[in-house]
Amino acid sequence: MNDNNNPDLLHHPFSRRKLIKTGSATGCLLAATSGLVLPFRKIAAAEPLPNDQLPEDKVVWSSCTVNCGSRCALRLHVRDDEVYWVETDNTGNDHYGNHQVRACLRGRSIRRRMNHPDRLKYPMKRVGKRGEGKFKRISWEEALDTISGQLKHTLAQYGNEAVHVLYGTGVDGGNITNSNVPYRLMNSCGGFLSRYGSYSTAQITAAMPYLYGAQQGNSPDDIANSKLVVLFGNNPAETRMSGGGVTYYLEQARAISNAKMIVIDPRYTDTAGGREDQWVPIRPGTDAALVAGIAHVLISENLVDQPFLDKYCVGYDETTLPSSAPKNGHYKAYILGQGDDGIAKTPEWAARITGIPANTIIQLAREIGMTKPAYICQGWGPQRHANGEQTARAIAMLPILTGNVGINGGNTGCREGSFDLGVEWFDMLTNPVQTKISVFTWTDAIMRGPEMTAKRDGIRGKDKLDVPIKFIWCYASNTLINQHGDISRTHQILQDDSKCEMIVGIEHFMTSSAKYCDILLPDLMPTEQEDLISHESAGNMGYVILGQPATTRKFERRPIYEILSEVAKRVGPQAEATFTEGRNQQQWIEYLCEKTRERNPEMPSYQEMKSAGIYKRKCPEEHVVAFKEFREDPQANPLKTPSGKIEIYSERLAEIAATWELAPEDVIHPLPVYAAGFEGWEDPLSSQYPLQLFGYHYKARTHSSYGNIDVLQQACPQEVWINTLDAQARGIKNGDRVKVFNGRGETQIQAKVTPRIMPGVTAMGQGAWLAADMFGDKVDHGGSVNILTHHRPSPLAKGNPQHTNLVQIVKL
Ligand SMILES: Nc1nc2c(c(=O)[nH]1)N[C@H]1C(S)=C(S)[C@@H](COP(=O)(O)OP(=O)(O)OC[C@H]3O[C@@H](n4cnc5c(=O)[nH]c(N)nc54)[C@H](O)[C@@H]3O)O[C@H]1N2
Ligand SMILES: Nc1nc2c(c(=O)[nH]1)N[C@H]1C(S)=C(S)[C@@H](COP(=O)(O)OP(=O)(O)OC[C@H]3O[C@@H](n4cnc5c(=O)[nH]c(N)nc54)[C@H](O)[C@@H]3O)O[C@H]1N2
Ligand code: SF4
Ligand SMILES: [Mo]
């Protein structure tokens, strides 16, 4: 803590010395961003140096650890105990292969988050209703005693299954600061109700194991060996923006191979951005129909790789169809119209559903069938839909039909793979509680936990839940409100604090989720503490960063490890001993660093890493090729499916389809067939709400993180994309304020009228901060898409179909 007794003044983003220089005669300074009026006090007698002439204290290595899958290097320049300038990686050079892991616009603005006037400073307890945002400052003692008291009460009264650690990814890239650390605490206290799946990949992660036994992709650098790149709903120019990220690999590798690039997306994305050879706009949720139409052409024109299908796959045609399957239950019969629906999946059939002209589909099929190897992949947009499990498997059919799996320059149809350097992760320990809910169903578990069953609600580890959720840890998560489906419904459920009795928030800002917490604790940022940070999606060059604290602790903020250690101590000596294993944070980092070194002998020692900052290592095989061993020798290296082969027809899915209780529109099918799902483009609701809407991942933010940074807001405004024809029909001009609404809610936002989105479809960046009076009209003015999304889970994964929505738009 700094020695001044008015930290509010001292650590205001205008530095203390600047305040003295510019302090006005009235003795007040209006902080422009916060609207706060701060008292002006004279602090030092001597006239200090102007801020920009102060000597620099140090340059500190750190990393941006929000959940964008990159974790770029940051070099933080510190002066007067404040970060005043942010640079990025300066190791390596401009050459692809020895490149720098350069941060994007968000990471480079991190000092604006660190020094933000709205940052939480003290522990607080809620004094108004959940969501009202009324809090009272309390001491750390009171906060920690209240939390541990209520935790012990919950464990004694309801059992460990009543405690849930909410999904959160604010520090996804952190190691000891990771969003999951409350797992370790709860596993030290007898366990908790955990979850399977993620908001990112619920549907594809549930689906792919049935097809491939796993979910893997070739690394994007392998595009250097491809002749063609096909991106289904994959937009790395916004979702993997960094200099070590996929967007860089994609472009550099294509420059080597000169591969053509086809982008299949309802939006003309930044990834297309003039670099694509073809943009194929597609109606959201209909990729499986496009694939079926392409498959029809591939089969009719003899462009399928029959030897590959015979040798490596199950269920393509009758020769490999499992005996349990119905007659004509194979994929080829489904495509040719000999299956149970009797419909041939011709390009004309697919054209009506997808909105793509039949001729385009025929050309696409020929291009894909005749250009090898082809890197066919999908982002996670196509699967974040009501029928996402079927879509994810269907897209993978294109590389399977054309034999592009397991070879250089090919891919599996999944998202890009990455080399893994093998950083040692802080162990979350084993959860003694086996029961799991799907990531998306925690609101149901609060409301009607004991009614939830395995066959209807996807409960795992048990036939049904026994207790509802009574206690929630909400650490580095805005999923309590902003990032979960149907905000109004969540608001309603959380209002009743006899249901979920305690919500503990650990945050930096008063986010919409924070407002619903009962106790709110101010966390340090990863840039303010030591941590060992691993790359995630990094092509064939892995890296690890040893971040050092850039500044001292300000106000009463404390690091998560210390906070949870204090809770563990209060739960009991056993819990504390298990949680800490007798190490403090620094000792853990040193331990994790040395463990990582065992796998990377050339990595500098812990002490050396403190100044080196970053260590990089190239993939020894040059490129990651998914299922390479399987392709080379399928007998010796079977896949993890029951047959050991690629299961185009899945007997396990046939069993689930026959035994689970499903709502009428919910389809689980042994084959990757097209099924419209609920609230799709043809849903009866479309007569009332005729436009499809989804929230894409936007460069302005990582979800909601960085959402309150003014320069980013100005650079990338929050707006709803609407096609010129749809706008004309509604009298909407570019920049007009419009209301976007459906039966669940309304948001008011500015319109971007553009041919970059197909007619009938609209989109806005997801993650904008909710700005609604949830106790009044509930109308949002921040463009927060989840005021419009729903909470109904997808059929197999019970995942979040947050991209499937119907809305109407009118001019305000
Ligand atoms: N409609 C719609 N909803 C979506 C999605 C979508 O596509 N459409 N995407 C979904 C996906 S894929 C995901 S991953 C989720 C993401 O949802 P979240 O995991 O909730 O991600 P963020 O919105 O970034 O929120 C993280 C919170 O952590 C806080 N935070 C950041 N760093 C730290 C830290 O060091 N310490 C602490 N204590 N807090 C920190 C931030 O202030 C922020 O409030 O959203 C999902 N929601
Ligand atoms: N800048 C930034 N980067 C991020 C994030 C962020 O919030 N901001 N979030 C990170 C996280 S946690 C995740 S999970 C990933 C998310 O990565 P993704 O899930 O891949 O991102 P999305 O933007 O949801 O979807 C990708 C593309 O799919 C398109 N799309 C939507 N529906 C369909 C469809 O039905 N069919 C087809 N073909 N395309 C469709 C969208 O227009 C979009 O261009 O991004 C990560 N990176
Ligand atoms: S937001 Fe992602 S791409 Fe940008 S600096 Fe941070 S880690 Fe890198
Ligand atoms: Mo995600």
Side-chain angles (χ1 to χ4, degrees), residues 248-324:
Y248 180 67
Y249 281 96
L250 173 64
E251 284 317 312
Q252 296 300 313
R254 275 184 69 213
I256 296 169
S257 61
N258 212 12
K260 268 185 133 175
M261 181 163 86
I262 301 173
V263 173
I264 301 170
D265 198 302
R267 294 183 310 131
Y268 183 77
T269 59
D270 287 10
T271 304
R275 291 174 288 257
E276 85 293 2
D277 292 278
Q278 191 181 2
W279 170 45
V280 182
I282 185 169
R283 216 171 249 145
T286 68
D287 299 73
L290 170 62
V291 170
I294 292 175
H296 195 276
V297 180
L298 293 175
I299 294 169
S300 322
E301 300 191 3
N302 237 342
L303 291 170
V304 298
D305 186 338
Q306 189 72 41
F308 178 84
L309 293 163
D310 291 342
K311 185 170 173 188
Y312 297 96
C313 304
V314 164
Y316 168 67
D317 57 22
E318 60 274 2
T319 52
T320 56
L321 189 67
S323 54
S324 68

Side-chain angles (χ1 to χ4, degrees), residues 67 167 199-200 380 384 697 703:
N67 181 15
Y167 177 91
Y199 281 78
S200 312
W380 297 328
R384 205 172 290 110
H697 291 232
H703 311 291

